[in-house]
C-alpha cells in the first residue's frame, strides 16, 4: 500500500489541543520531529522517508504544536522547545508507549535533546540531524544565513522570502522540485502557520523564557546513544557547530554528508535512511 498523508493521518489530544501525527509500520516506536521554517510540517520533512523507515519501525511523525495541522496554546508562556517536548510525552502517554527512539531535525533536534535530558527513561536512542540549540557556532556569522532568511520571512511573509529560506536549506537547488516548492509555498501562505512560527521563535529570544542552562551546556548529562547527522554545506546550522556536541556528548557519533545542506533526509535520502536504520537497530 502506498503511504499518503490521508491514510497515515492520526489525531491525539494533549493538554486540550488536537495534535496530528502520521503513523505507519511496526516494531520499535520511532518519533520523528520536524524543524521550523516556512510551510513546515511533519509530513513535509519526513513523508518521503516514511516508506523505508516504516519497514523497520513503528513511525510516528508528529506535527508539533502550532505547525502543520496541530493545535497550540493561544499564548506561549514557556520556551517553545519545552512546549513541544511535553507534547511528545503526551503523545507517548496517549498511545501507551513507555519508551521510543527519537529523530529530530533542526528545531526538532533541540526538542529531542531536551526530552532525552528531562525524561531519560522515556527515550531509547536519539538521532540529531543538524539540531538547533545543540551545536555551537564559533567561526561563522550569527545568526547564520538560513536563520537570517527565516527571520526575514517571519517579519514579513511572502513567497519571495519563503523561496529565499528554501534555497538556504539545500546544497543543490535542483533538489527544490516544482512539486516540493509548490507544496511548501502553499503551506507557507497560511496566516495561522505564519503566526505559529513567529510566536514560537519569539520564545527563543524572550529573556523571561530562557533556560537556566542552554542545551549545549547540558550535553555531558545526556547518556543516551546519539547519532548526529550533518550536511557539510549546511547554511542554517553550520557544520562547525557539530564539533562541540561531538566532544561533549559521552555516547555520540558524528557523520558528515558531502553534497548536502540542512536537509540531510532530502538531499542524501538513501544514505540518511541507511544510517538511521543501522544505528537504531544496532547502536553505536
Amino acid at each position: 500500500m502506498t503511504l499518503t498523508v490521508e491514510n497515515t493521518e492520526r489525531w491525539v489530544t494533549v493538554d486540550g489541543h488536537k495534535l496530528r501525527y502520521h503513523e505507519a509500520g511496526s516494531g520499535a516506536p520511532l518519533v520523528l520531529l520536524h524543524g521550523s521554517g516556512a510551510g513546515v510540517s511533519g509530513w513535509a520533512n519526513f513523508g518521503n522517508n516514511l516508506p523505508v523507515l516504516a519497514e523497520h519501525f513503528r513511525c510516528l511523525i508528529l506535527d508539533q504544536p502550532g505547525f502543520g495541522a496541530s493545535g497550540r496554546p493561544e499564548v506561549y508562556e514557556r520556551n517553545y522547545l519545552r512546549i513541544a517536548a511535553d507534547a511528545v510525552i503526551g503523545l507517548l502517554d496517549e498511545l501507551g508507549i513507555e519508551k521510543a527512539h527519537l529523530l529530530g531535525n533542526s528545531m526538532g533536534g533541540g526538542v529531542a535533546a531536551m526530552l532525552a535530558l528531562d525524561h531519560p527513561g522515556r527515550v531509547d536512542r536519539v538521532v540529531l540531524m543538524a539540531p538547533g540549540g545543540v551545536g555551537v557556532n564559533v567561526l561563522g556569522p550569527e545568526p547564520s544565513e538560513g536563520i537570517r532568511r527565516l527571520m526575514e520571512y517571519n517579519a514579513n511573509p511572502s513567497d519571495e522570502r519563503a523561496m529565499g529560506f528554501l534555497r538556504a536549506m539545500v546544497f543543490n537547488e535542483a533538489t527544490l522540485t516544482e512539486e516540493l516548492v509548490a507544496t511548501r509555498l502553499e503551506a507557507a501562505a497560511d496566516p495561522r502557520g505564519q503566526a505559529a512560527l513567529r510566536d514560537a521563535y519569539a520564545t527563543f529570544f524572550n529573556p523571561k523564557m530562557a533556560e537556566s542552562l542552554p542545551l549545549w551546556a547540558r550535553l555531558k548529562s545526556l547518556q543516551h546513544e546519539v547519532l548526529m547527522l550533518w550536511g557539510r554545506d549546511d547554511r542554517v546550522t553550520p557544520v562547525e557547530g557539530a564539533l562541540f556536541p561531538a566532544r561533549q556528548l559521552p555516547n555520540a557519533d558524528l557523520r558528515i554528508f558531502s553534497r548536502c545542506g540542512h536537509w540531510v533526509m532530502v538531499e542524501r535520502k538513501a544514505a540518511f535512511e541507511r544510517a538511521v536504520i543501522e544505528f537504531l537497530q544496532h547502536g553505536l
Side-chain angles (χ1 to χ4, degrees), residues 63-110:
D63 281 355
Q64 296 177 76
F67 292 95
S70 287
R72 67 165 182 133
E74 185 173 342
V75 177
Y76 291 143
E77 298 179 346
R78 299 180 296 151
N79 187 292
Y80 182 80
L81 296 185
R82 291 207 166 274
I83 293 171
D86 286 351
V88 176
I89 292 295
L91 172 70
L92 297 180
D93 288 345
E94 289 294 322
L95 297 181
I97 297 172
E98 182 61 31
K99 181 180 286 191
H101 298 306
L102 301 179
L103 192 165
N105 166 235
S106 199
M107 180 188 75

Side-chain angles (χ1 to χ4, degrees), residues 14 25 31 52 92 97 130 159 161 212 228 235 241:
V14 175
V31 179
V52 172
L92 297 180
I97 297 172
D159 281 358
R161 290 184 176 86
S212 57
M228 291 191 296
R235 290 183 280 159

